[in-house]
Structure formats: structure tokens, C-alpha cells
Amino acid sequence: MSGRRKKSRKPRKRRSPGTKVTRLFQRPVQHQEAEPVIRLTHVSVHYNNGTPALEDISFTLQRGERVAVVGPNGAGKSTLFKVIAGILSPTSGRVDVYGHAPHGHICIAYVPQRSQVDWSFPVTVADVVMMGRVGKLGLLRWPRRRDWEIVRESLRLVGMEELASRQIGELSGGQQQRVFIARALAQEAEILLMDEPFAGLDMPSQEVFFRVLDRLREREVTVLISTHDLNQAAGRFDRLILLNRRLIAMGRAKEVLTQEHLLAAYGGRVTMLDTDDGTVMVSDTCCSRGMDHA
Ligand code: ADP
């Protein structure tokens, strides 16, 4: 008789057909490369209290586009970001990201409005950026040297390497936005959704921000940003989506920002003034909550 004992193997549990499998984290979804990056088909969202936030929205976005979402307060901009990020399900219609429902895509980086983030949470800049790696790591694996290198490189790209060990609450508004972009880079995100990232940022901070966005363009990241600044939307983005619950217009600034469309979107909240330089829109809505620096 040989001294070696055969290892007894535990019999594998057989799952009965139809058993629900709960995973700790979802497997990345395979992209259908021939499909648009984002496609919305007749999407409507009604909140539980009955508020209709989006009605029958359809559009597609292509890889590497930089698109601004504009419209008055309450137009459904945040709701739009949430359905694309897969945080909210549409009441009707469908959202596809590279040909699949948005849930489980680790290629989407969603940055909510700054006011919705708890900045007192005791984490460092590097920790926040490392959170972008969770989808690649899985929840139970520790970051390896390569992951920390990616975090460092992402921070370098947004000019924040020196602040890696700072608490996030100690950063300026512009720096906080750049940390989120670094997190998207570390995540190797292909879609970046940012809800009002310019709110409260001064002009120099906005310039720094756009330089960082140019880096994302080099990587063909598709960027969707909501903003209240129509001038900025017209000058710095490839296309615009003008929203007021319904999609009023989508396309290049010249096609979208017409008097007819603006009145349809902003209604009584704007006055159109005819001047020697053309038509000027004066809005009575204001969005800035004090200025922040880069
Ligand atoms: P925007 O970002 O353009 O200001 P939102 O998407 O935040 O617009 O809101 C669109 C509409 O949906 C508004 O009328 C808002 O009051 C309503 N709304 C937003 N979030 C909720 C919610 N969680 N529950 C109920 N109604 C909501």
C-alpha cells in the first residue's frame, strides 16, 4: 500500500436550474464594438411620486465625442445621467451601452454633482482614485503594485500627483473634480458622465479642467457633461443636447441654440433681445454657488 492517501474531494454542489446566482461583483460586460457607445430608445422616467422627469428621449453617442447637456433646472439632466449610469431604470424605453443594458458595465464613470458627495469622508486622494480599480480587481483582491502605478499615473495626468495623500475634504472644487477624472482614468473608463462639474469653478479652474478633458479625448473617452453655461457648451463641446423633460434639440451649437429651441426649453425664464450683434438670451436662472479655485 502506498503511503499516499488520495485527497478526498468535496462533491460539487449542483445548482438546480433557475437558481439565482448572486455575485459579489459583476463580471464586466463584453462590448458589441459595432454598436454606438450609448443609445437611448424612447426613454421615459417617471419618479414614484408621479413626477415625469424624462419623456420619450432617443439619441446615440459615438466613441470619443464630447457632448454637453443643457436645459433649465428640473429639465431632467441628472435623471438622464442616472439612467445612462444604470443607477435608475427607465419607466419605459431602453438604454444600451455598447449594445447592452448599462448595469454591470465597468467602462462607465459617473460623477454626481459636488453637493451630493460627502467630502468629510476620511479618505485620501489616492484612495478615491484606487476606488476606480475596484471593478478590475474585484472586491476581495488587494491592489497590486501595477494598480498603484496606474493610480499614480492617473493622478499625474490630471496634475494631482503631489496631493496623493491629502484628505479629499481639504481640496478645492477644481481639484476635487480632477480627482474624479483621475479615478475615471484609473478605472480605464470609456464613458465619463459628469453632472455640473463647473458649478462654482472660476475660469482658470475651468481651463485646467478642459486641458484634462483634452487628454481624455486622446484616449477616445466619450464625455457627457451637464452645464448651465450655454457659451461654454457652444464653444467647447462637439455637440449639445438641449433638454426640458423632452429632447428639444441635439446637434452642433448652431443648430441647437436657435431662438425657437431656446424658448421651447427655457420658456418664460428667458428673454430674447435683438441687438446689433445678433440675438442675446438673458436668463433669470442662476447656478453658481460661490467660486472655487483649481
Ligand atoms: P436637473 O438635473 O435638470 O435639474 P433632475 O433630473 O434633477 O433635473 O429633475 C427632473 C425632475 O424630476 C424635477 O422635477 C425633479 O424635481 C424631479 N426629481 C428628481 N429626482 C427626484 C426624486 N428622487 N424623486 C422625485 N422626483 C425627483
Side-chain angles (χ1 to χ4, degrees):
M1 208 172 108
S2 90
R4 279 195 183 171
R5 272 231 204 131
K6 245 188 173 179
K7 265 189 183 171
S8 67
R9 273 207 189 152
K10 269 192 183 171
R12 271 201 190 160
K13 264 191 194 168
R14 288 206 164 204
R15 262 189 221 112
S16 54
T19 310
K20 193 176 169 203
V21 183
T22 311
R23 295 187 197 285
L24 273 177
F25 78 106
Q26 283 183 285
R27 278 180 203 284
V29 177
Q30 290 298 316
H31 290 172
Q32 291 181 28
E33 295 294 338
E35 289 292 314
V37 178
I38 295 169
R39 186 204 300 275
L40 269 71
T41 315
H42 300 299
V43 167
S44 296
V45 176
H46 291 201
Y47 284 101
N48 290 339
N49 61 3
T51 308
L54 294 175
E55 293 278 5
D56 197 22
I57 306 285
S58 298
F59 64 80
T60 58
L61 297 187
Q62 303 300 333
R63 186 188 294 241
E65 276 194 291
R66 187 192 290 172
V67 177
V69 183
V70 291
N73 287 331
K77 300 182 293 295
S78 302
T79 305
L80 179 71
F81 284 100
K82 286 175 190 163
V83 287
I84 296 174
I87 295 167
L88 204 63
S89 295
T91 314
S92 59
R94 58 179 290 163
V95 178
D96 290 296
V97 174
Y98 281 108
H100 298 278
H103 316 279
H105 276 278
I106 60 170
C107 65
I108 305 174
Y110 165 62
V111 183
Q113 290 179 18
R114 233 166 359 121
S115 57
Q116 291 178 12
V117 176
D118 179 5
W119 295 106
S120 64
F121 202 73
V123 283
T124 66
V125 166
D127 293 334
V128 171
V129 180
M130 181 57 84
M131 285 170 203
R133 299 295 301 159
V134 168
K136 303 260 175 203
L137 287 169
L139 281 176
L140 301 179
R141 214 194 85 200
W142 288 106
R144 296 186 176 150
R145 179 135 53 107
R146 170 91 188 112
D147 297 303
W148 285 113
E149 277 168 13
I150 290 172
V151 166
R152 238 191 328 273
E153 171 64 7
S154 304
L155 282 170
R156 193 186 64 74
L157 280 168
V158 301
M160 294 280 296
E161 207 180 3
E162 318 258 280
L163 300 179
S165 52
R166 268 288 166 88
Q167 296 288 311
I168 51 160
E170 295 169 7
L171 302 177
S172 71
Q175 288 168 338
Q176 287 168 343
Q177 295 295 4
R178 282 189 278 152
V179 170
F180 277 119
I181 294 185
R183 189 178 69 169
L185 286 166
Q187 183 182 334
E188 297 170 53
E190 294 172 49
I191 300 167
L192 177 62
L193 309 170
M194 295 189 90
D195 201 354
E196 290 196 30
F198 306 110
L201 290 200
D202 61 15
M203 285 310 280
S205 312
Q206 294 188 19
E207 282 309 316
V208 173
F209 186 90
F210 275 107
R211 282 205 294 278
V212 174
L213 286 187
D214 288 339
R215 299 230 159 108
L216 296 187
R217 197 196 278 287
E218 288 163 17
R219 295 177 174 217
E220 289 203 303
V221 175
T222 305
V223 175
L224 193 63
I225 285 180
S226 66
T227 173
H228 279 274
D229 186 335
L230 295 179
N231 265 326
Q232 184 189 59
R236 311 296 288 261
F237 290 80
D238 304 321
R239 291 202 290 164
L240 273 60
I241 293 174
L242 180 58
L243 199 68
N244 192 358
R245 214 168 75 201
R246 294 183 171 275
L247 196 152
I248 309 284
M250 178 173 185
R252 298 197 179 280
K254 252 190 173 169
E255 301 147 12
V256 172
L257 299 180
T258 64
Q259 188 164 342
E260 181 196 350
H261 291 154
L262 289 169
L263 284 172
Y266 291 87
R269 283 182 263 193
V270 294
T271 311
M272 309 301 296
L273 300 175
D274 283 322
T275 68
D276 293 342
D277 299 330
T279 305
V280 177
M281 185 185 89
V282 184
S283 167
D284 67 355
T285 50
C286 184
C287 47
S288 130
R289 292 182 284 267
M291 288 295 164
D292 244 315
H293 306 282

